[in-house]
Amino acid sequence: MNMLIRSIVGLIILIVLLIVPHFLEFHHQDLLIFLTINVLVVASYRLVTLTGEWSLIHAVMMGVGGYTATLLFLNYELGMWFTLPTAGLLSAAVAALLCFPLLRMTQFYFLIGSFAAGEAIRLVWIQFLDPFGGTGGLSGVSPPMIGDIDFMDPIPYYYLALTVVSICLFLLYRIEKSRVGLTLHSVHWKAPLAESVGVDTWRYRALAFITGSFFVGIAGALKVHYIGTITPNQYGIGFMVFILIWVIVGGYNKFYGPIIGVIVLTMFDESIRGFDEIRPAIYGAVLILSILFLPLGLESIPGKLKAWFIGSEVVEPPLTDE
Amino acid sequence: MELILQSIINGLIQGGLYALFAVGLVMIFGVMGVVNFAHGELVMAGAYTIWYLHAQQGLGYLPTVVVAVVLVTLIGLLMERFLFRPTRNDPLAGLICSIGMLFILQVIATLIGGEGPSKQVPPVFQGTLVVFDFLRIPNQRIFALVISVAALVTLWYFLARTKLGWALRAVALDREASALQGININRISMIAIGVGAGMAGLAGALMAPLTNINPHMGHNVIITAFIVTIVGGVGSLSGAVLAAILYALFHTFMTVYFGGTIATISGLLLMVLVLIIKPTGIMGVRISE
Amino acid sequence: MPILEVKNVTKQFGGLTALDNISFHVDEGEIRGLIGPNGAGKSTMFKNIAGFYKPTSGDIHYQGQSISGRKPHQIAEMGIVRTFQETTLFQEMTVFENALVGCHTRARTDLFSAILGLDKQKQRQAADKVMEVLEFMGLSERRDQLASELPLGSQRALAISIALVSEPKLMLMDEPFAGMNPEETNHMMELTRKVRESGITIVLVEHDMKAVMGLCNYLTVLNFGQLLAQGTPEEVRSNDKVIEAYLGGAN
């Protein structure tokens, strides 16, 4: 019975995802593609946070993927079939190198260390005009053409992005639900206990960081192939903060929490278009209010409603382990 | 030689300003355990007050400096009361609230000053002190240096010689033990953030005539403050002051010889290096289970 | 045949000497009690054996091999598992998931087989092992409950289950009886004996003297970081130095 309901819900979601772009105007189709890519961004960030570490370098890792795809495309005319996985692999490689300094740190020190490392990478893009193009970045990347289908159009590109992101989400979900995912959780909640039964916490933190970077690298390549340009500022602390907001407002205790967060806030963002000047402040207020009044995120609302009707108690663990 | 001496002087003056805002960040972190990401925006708020009340509305510079300090202290107190106090047991939540505050302050600045090019505040103290015929120090910078040194000395006196300062340091060492000793944590937190924010506001007010003012100027401030805090040892005020001066000298020299971006990259790498050697910061304590 | 040999271990923190030239050995199949007043250095000793601390000087041998300086996870892999003071559990996970974490070293998995589902058989074996242990510890009824919802006695039993799943040869138990009522204590003593009968050597840090005297075949007594006495429970009970140390501690 449960299985049946799930299949039906899944089918409905699939149909909605497939037909939704045809009911949207051009501007919203554009937005839908960004939303699809951002879903991958937050889902991969969740993998990094599974071990309990909040990194501030995820946006820059996406940029690493984007620059990789851009340089491969511009210099060697390599198509998306090649740039996409390579972008992921290069992000993962950069993350692997960064593990050695960064994973020596935990909590705030990791947070600040990852922020510093990310800023350093971004400043390298700004400083070295060749090959990164400086503050102005690079442009001229285009999506592929397969037969008669021009992926420059939003609808075909949406289907392409949807396919890639769906595959990645499936893989991320498999990882989280596997014993590897369980071990990552165990590193988060009680690292000494995990160690005492033989878990190499360093290795698992590295695994989460590298794998998360791999997937966000792919997201970076997906984005640059659609918009065609890349600049260091697209991946600055501003974007990183948006990732944090999406994840936190959505709720990061469940796999789908951050995804709900990015979808709801993107729609919210659309609804406050026209207040461009004060938009960041509205975001800031939403962030503060959700931390103060809904610390487990939107994802926790159904449970709360249920508890309210049935009358049982909801336990709210703190964001960080004391 | 002349360039080197001139850079040293410039670096020292810069160092005084760095120390002003870094010390505030350290105090807030030490006493309340929260990383205030909006600290750069507090500096920005101080600078904007000068630009708006002094340069636009014609209020005298010195009174405006006082207004700036009071105003930013007030912002700090409000942040403690409404953001950090409710999230006291959860440092990450406090940090995220401060990010929210960062956006709000930036938007307020944009609303007051509008978009467009950075604002300038003309120097109040005209003239330049010339030493040995080749060292040129604008009076405005001398004023900034004198005031920041005076503020730091006052802070040192307050912390080292007064009972309240002693309580503050006790809370920074061990919050729970201090609470058991009957120290009122809420009151001490208010004082810490009040002093920390006030110093950030003062830094902003002193920097206003020396720098470009825009809603995003806090970004570089917070990066500098992080570098100084980590290199100086988290939780160590004297370490932060020393690191501020050394880093300002380092940054000034790097800027003169290699350009600003390379200077900042090296600063960030320096900080990562310190964290590699001492992953919990120089004064940090490793917490086991 | 000693399974564990502690040889002249000294541990200093700054100027403070927490362990001062301690030597003892534990034979296979023992239930060894490590006792002493508060601050005697028992927990520090445990942390040195389990790899959370590195001895300042001296050496620790396990099955004839030196282990001092190795990382906790490496030592765990060799068969030494530690349980914690209080109830250190993964509170947010179910009983079953808690114990499954213990399978880490015995049924290794990696990212790719996890994604591709290549390790189904291994997973099934891991699950079987977990159920076997939960059965053994009397927790199989509660397998889907959250760890945080368990009563104290069951939480301790779960802590031991996590350790057992990893199939250790030597188990370091840190105050498993703390805060228990007499009934719970009796149950726990029974469980501990069962664990020993399954072939696992146990070293126990404990304050509950009834449990220690009833369970252990041999005791090692520490006081202010020094080895005070060793012997059977009867010998230790009548040892003047031990009596003095405990009475002194009580004052």
Side-chain angles (χ1 to χ4, degrees), chain C residues 4 6 19 22-26 30-37 40-49 172-176 202-209 212 216-223 226-231 236 246:
Chain C
L4 180 76
V6 175
L19 293 174
I22 305 279
S23 301
F24 64 91
H25 63 85
V26 178
E30 273 195 62
I31 299 186
R32 168 67 60 95
L34 190 60
I35 62 170
K42 304 170 305 249
S43 289
T44 313
M45 191 70 242
F46 259 25
K47 285 180 188 166
N48 276 287
I49 299 173
L172 309 173
M173 295 170 70
D174 204 346
E175 301 198 12
I202 295 173
V203 179
L204 191 71
V205 162
E206 188 48 65
H207 282 293
D208 185 329
M209 278 306 136
V212 169
C216 302
N217 60 321
Y218 206 75
L219 299 176
T220 300
V221 191
L222 299 182
N223 192 27
Q226 286 178 328
L227 190 67
L228 192 69
Q230 294 206 75
V236 165
Y246 269 90

Side-chain angles (χ1 to χ4, degrees), chain A residues 54 56 100-102 104-128 192 236-238 241-242 244-245 248 252 277-285 287-289 291-292 295 317-322, chain B residues 29 33-35 37 82-83 86-101 103-104 106-108 110-111 114-115 176 219 222-223 226 230 234 258 260-262 264-265 268-269 271-272 275-281 284-286 288-289:
Chain A
W54 291 73
L56 290 183
F100 292 98
L102 291 184
R104 289 175 58 91
M105 313 159 198
T106 55
Q107 303 203 1
F108 288 124
Y109 304 101
F110 177 75
L111 196 95
I112 291 175
S114 64
F115 173 67
E119 279 301 293
I121 292 176
R122 241 165 44 77
L123 289 172
V124 165
W125 295 335
I126 291 172
Q127 177 68 24
F128 297 101
I237 193 70
V241 168
F242 274 106
L244 279 177
I245 296 176
I248 286 169
Y252 48 85
E277 242 184 3
I278 60 166
R279 209 139 62 131
I282 296 175
Y283 260 98
L287 186 61
I288 290 173
L289 292 176
I291 280 282
L292 294 181
L319 285 169
T320 43
D321 223 11
E322 294 245 347
Chain B
F29 182 73
V34 57
V35 178
F37 250 80
F82 294 107
L83 302 184
T87 56
R88 177 146 307 152
N89 295 321
D90 195 345
L92 182 63
L95 179 146
I96 289 163
C97 282
S98 78
I99 292 179
M101 195 65 201
F103 280 118
I104 294 173
Q106 281 185 358
V107 166
I108 294 173
T110 311
L111 291 179
E115 291 281 5
E176 269 160 44
H219 186 60
I222 194 75
I223 289 181
F226 278 160
I230 296 286
V234 179
F258 302 103
T261 312
I262 294 278
T264 307
I265 294 178
L268 289 164
L269 293 180
M271 164 167 143
V272 173
L275 283 172
I276 291 170
I277 296 167
K278 194 82 188 174
T280 52
V285 184
R286 195 178 279 274
S288 64
E289 318 150 49

Side-chain angles (χ1 to χ4, degrees), chain A residues 47-318:
Chain A
L47 183 66
V48 177
T49 60
L50 272 191
T51 57
E53 301 292 1
W54 291 73
S55 112
L56 290 183
I57 200 174
H58 205 62
V60 175
M61 283 311 187
M62 183 177 179
V64 170
Y67 271 99
T68 306
T70 308
L71 292 172
L72 286 173
F73 183 88
L74 294 180
N75 295 333
Y76 307 103
E77 290 171 22
L78 289 161
M80 227 174 142
W81 59 272
F82 186 81
T83 60
L84 225 56
T86 317
L89 288 174
L90 206 81
S91 287
V94 172
L97 285 178
L98 286 172
C99 278
F100 292 98
L102 291 184
L103 293 189
R104 289 175 58 91
M105 313 159 198
T106 55
Q107 303 203 1
F108 288 124
Y109 304 101
F110 177 75
L111 196 95
I112 291 175
S114 64
F115 173 67
E119 279 301 293
I121 292 176
R122 241 165 44 77
L123 289 172
V124 165
W125 295 335
I126 291 172
Q127 177 68 24
F128 297 101
L129 289 176
D130 184 31
F132 299 116
T135 315
L138 299 164
S139 53
V141 187
S142 57
M145 275 203 50
I146 300 171
D148 285 341
I149 312 169
D150 184 357
F151 284 92
M152 194 81 90
D153 287 336
I155 291 185
Y157 200 88
Y158 166 72
Y159 287 129
L160 179 69
L162 186 66
T163 311
V164 173
V165 170
S166 304
I167 293 170
C168 292
L169 283 187
F170 174 71
L171 296 178
L172 283 164
Y173 186 78
R174 292 281 304 214
I175 294 173
E176 188 175 328
K177 292 296 163 193
S178 74
R179 273 237 331 276
V180 174
L182 185 70
T183 311
L184 292 173
H185 274 295
S186 77
V187 169
H188 174 188
W189 293 117
K190 287 275 163 17
L193 178 55
E195 278 176 0
S196 76
V197 289
V199 176
D200 183 347
T201 48
W202 193 93
R203 243 190 87 211
Y204 275 85
R205 289 172 65 204
L207 184 75
F209 185 50
I210 294 168
T211 315
S213 300
F214 172 80
F215 285 109
V216 84
I218 290 178
L222 264 182
K223 186 165 178 181
V224 75
H225 272 286
Y226 183 64
I227 58 176
T229 57
I230 188 165
T231 69
N233 283 343
Q234 287 167 354
Y235 302 102
I237 193 70
F239 184 61
M240 185 65 234
V241 168
F242 274 106
I243 299 176
L244 279 177
I245 296 176
W246 291 328
V247 171
I248 286 169
V249 172
Y252 48 85
N253 278 343
K254 297 247 165 63
F255 183 79
Y256 54 83
I259 299 175
I260 293 175
V262 68
I263 294 172
V264 170
L265 283 181
T266 303
M267 295 201 281
F268 172 71
D269 193 62
E270 256 317 277
S271 68
I272 55 171
R273 190 165 283 280
F275 302 94
D276 275 359
E277 242 184 3
I278 60 166
R279 209 139 62 131
I282 296 175
Y283 260 98
V286 167
L287 186 61
I288 290 173
L289 292 176
S290 72
I291 280 282
L292 294 181
F293 300 109
L294 201 62
L296 290 183
L298 295 171
E299 165 261 295
S300 67
I301 290 179
K304 275 193 174 166
L305 285 178
K306 202 169 144 194
W308 189 69
F309 280 113
I310 298 170
S312 69
E313 204 177 321
V314 186
V315 186
E316 297 195 351

Side-chain angles (χ1 to χ4, degrees), chain B residues 12-37:
Chain B
L12 284 177
I13 293 165
Q14 205 67 42
L17 293 170
Y18 286 3
L20 274 188
F21 54 71
V23 154
L25 191 72
V26 171
M27 272 182 65
I28 294 168
F29 182 73
V31 172
M32 304 163 57
V34 57
V35 178
N36 180 20
F37 250 80

Side-chain angles (χ1 to χ4, degrees), chain B residues 233-249:
Chain B
V234 179
S236 160
L237 288 174
S238 46
V241 172
L242 188 69
I245 293 163
L246 291 178
Y247 178 66
L249 288 171

